[in-house]
Amino acid sequence: MLDQREVASSIASRATERLEAEVQSTAALLAATTCQWLLMIAELDRREAWASWECRSMAHWLTWKCAVSLRTARDHVRVARELERLPRVRKEFAAGRLSYSKVRALTRIVSAPEVESDLVELALAATASQLDTIAAGCQRVRRINDPEREQRNHDERRLSVVLDEDGNGTLTMRGPVDLLAELMSAVDAVVKRCEANDGEGIEARRFDAMVELGRLRAAPGGGADGDTHAEPPAATIVVRKDSSRPDAPAIAHGWPISRAAFERLRCDAKFAVERIRDDGGIERTPTTEAIPRRVRRAVRNRDLGGCRWPGCGARASVQLHHIVSRARSGPNSIANLVSLCHFHHRAVHHRGWQIRGDANGALTFIDRGGRQADERTYRRRAVHPHELE
């Protein structure tokens, strides 16, 4: 083996043109070797060889055995699996004509075998940065047009806390935009109700308001059924729409929301709509009041404080839903209101489920395909008129 000083001296003595050619040929050789390495990773993953080492996955095995970071290892495993379904990409990669960066982008773009050849030709002419931009755009379009988008957004909701050594912490939330808009509207409602702290900005006051909301919710009798005077007032959701663009999304708290989210927000909150006129002015509708407290209490008692969805009965994050929507002038009557947990409330508005029947009796739940689910009525009791007095 050559001494490293001799290698460095040999490289330094070469002409620039020769050095450029050798760098390019070595890059092609590196790509071909990487392709073979990834195919071996895919085979080891198929055999689940990592399990015999008590590793959680092939990525963890690579982190241990090949000194690769976990994030990079996961990317390698993903590309290795995708190579098995992309024969043209694999052929060009093994020949050294496609780099690993280009192959990684192609595995995100190619969704069907019939478009693989055209995209490979594009990759041979484009740069790796251009392919990354195209891949990011394709993934963004797929997320927007994904029929399971609402379900995925619901599944990806997160709230985490990271503590710092100085005694502070960072709270991070991720979830559907309409829920975040609803939360921020409730926080701002508490901010307006409280007196401003001297010298403190809106961020600090919002933090105090969110802590107050949590304390009120956790306090005895502080549930969402309105049985306590300590409960904060219902938030007012202000949605802005552009009258000159009927197809433009509604804007809630500065964030675009879907039509289904727009209708869901109207179910259980004070509501107002701001419309942008053609001359640039803003016209605001009167605020639609939230469900009256006495009606809310009667509906909660009738539904025993739980979700009416067949087989659910969850008592956490229960909201009231209008069977006949507010968009169709549905009233805030007991017969038109039903208790649903957050998950099933979104199923009605975002995933096409319909509810038919009188809420004081048996309800029928129908999905887009026409399947029906009838709820059992033995869990509820009738509402008597004196409960509303």
Side-chain angles (χ1 to χ4, degrees):
M1 182 176 294
L2 294 177
D3 185 81
Q4 293 300 319
R5 288 175 296 182
E6 295 179 0
V7 173
S9 176
S10 175
I11 293 176
S13 62
R14 297 173 192 172
T16 302
E17 293 79 3
R18 179 184 175 188
L19 196 59
E20 290 177 344
E22 289 185 358
V23 167
Q24 294 179 60
S25 61
T26 305
L29 179 62
L30 181 62
T33 306
T34 303
C35 177
Q36 183 179 1
W37 184 62
L38 291 177
L39 293 176
M40 290 188 291
I41 289 175
E43 181 61 28
L44 284 176
D45 188 30
R46 186 183 301 105
R47 299 180 185 183
E48 296 185 353
W50 44 268
S52 62
W53 295 96
E54 302 301 334
C55 294
R56 298 182 181 179
S57 66
M58 189 63 200
H60 288 82
W61 186 91
L62 287 175
T63 301
W64 177 29
K65 293 288 188 178
C66 300
V68 180
S69 69
L70 184 58
R71 181 175 181 178
T72 303
R74 286 172 175 164
D75 211 22
H76 284 325
V77 174
R78 182 191 65 80
V79 175
R81 292 172 178 171
E82 292 293 316
L83 282 176
E84 297 181 345
R85 71 174 183 88
L86 302 174
R88 178 71 190 281
V89 173
R90 185 172 65 249
K91 177 182 177 181
E92 299 295 335
F93 191 19
R97 286 188 287 268
L98 286 178
S99 66
Y100 172 75
S101 297
K102 289 187 175 183
V103 171
R104 180 181 58 188
L106 283 173
T107 56
R108 293 189 173 100
I109 299 174
V110 180
S111 58
E114 56 269 18
V115 300
E116 181 187 1
S117 296
D118 293 337
L119 290 175
V120 168
E121 295 298 329
L122 173 64
L124 291 172
T127 65
S129 297
Q130 291 171 336
L131 283 181
D132 284 337
T133 301
I134 295 173
C138 291
Q139 286 189 311
R140 184 164 56 251
V141 171
R142 288 171 185 168
R143 285 196 299 268
I144 294 175
N145 298 329
D146 185 4
E148 303 296 331
R149 174 187 174 188
E150 298 296 340
Q151 177 67 36
R152 189 189 69 240
N153 290 344
H154 177 82
D155 294 339
E156 291 179 354
R157 68 194 191 283
R158 298 288 185 272
L159 189 151
S160 60
V161 178
V162 178
L163 301 181
D164 300 330
E165 295 181 356
D166 60 358
N168 285 325
T170 302
L171 182 71
T172 303
M173 295 186 65
R174 175 180 174 82
V177 174
D178 55 306
L179 292 183
L180 295 179
E182 192 173 0
L183 172 64
M184 293 306 301
S185 297
V187 169
D188 287 345
V190 178
V191 169
K192 293 179 181 178
R193 188 185 62 178
C194 300
E195 296 181 359
N197 297 326
D198 295 336
E200 291 189 332
I202 185 63
E203 290 84 2
R205 294 165 58 194
R206 281 174 171 172
F207 179 88
D208 295 340
M210 185 171 292
V211 172
E212 181 182 355
L213 284 173
R215 288 172 177 169
L216 292 174
R217 180 74 184 184
D225 56 0
D227 290 335
T228 175
H229 295 290
E231 182 183 4
T236 299
I237 306 296
V238 180
V239 175
R240 178 168 295 185
K241 293 185 69 67
D242 191 345
S243 59
S244 63
R245 298 175 56 199
D247 57 338
I251 305 296
H253 209 80
W255 301 322
I257 60 174
S258 64
R259 177 66 184 179
F262 175 79
E263 293 299 333
R264 191 194 67 78
L265 289 176
R266 297 181 65 180
C267 269
D268 202 2
K270 294 182 179 179
F271 199 82
V273 177
E274 291 182 347
R275 300 189 182 277
I276 304 176
R277 299 194 300 264
D278 296 336
D279 58 2
I282 297 177
E283 178 184 2
R284 178 165 174 168
T285 64
T287 301
T288 303
E289 291 298 321
I291 300 170
R293 178 172 296 184
R294 63 183 185 278
V295 176
R296 183 185 299 274
R297 183 183 297 112
V299 174
R300 301 278 189 184
N301 289 339
R302 179 199 64 197
D303 298 340
L304 302 180
C307 175
R308 288 275 295 270
W309 195 275
C312 182
R315 295 176 177 271
S317 301
V318 175
Q319 303 168 344
L320 298 190
H321 169 71
H322 292 74
I323 298 176
V324 179
S325 67
R326 281 188 167 184
R328 293 185 292 157
S329 302
N332 286 329
S333 63
I334 300 175
N336 192 48
L337 292 170
V338 58
S339 300
L340 295 176
C341 67
H342 159 67
F343 178 81
H344 289 122
H345 197 188
R346 291 182 64 82
V348 173
H349 285 284
H350 296 269
R351 295 196 289 277
W353 282 83
Q354 297 181 6
I355 303 179
R356 296 180 183 174
D358 188 321
N360 287 329
L363 294 174
T364 302
F365 297 78
I366 307 173
D367 71 353
R368 290 175 177 173
R371 294 182 306 165
Q372 297 186 8
D374 298 326
E375 68 164 343
R376 299 180 181 273
T377 60
Y378 68 89
R379 296 177 54 253
R380 300 184 314 281
R381 58 182 179 82
V383 177
H384 300 287
H386 72 271
E387 293 184 357
L388 297 179
E389 296 177 1

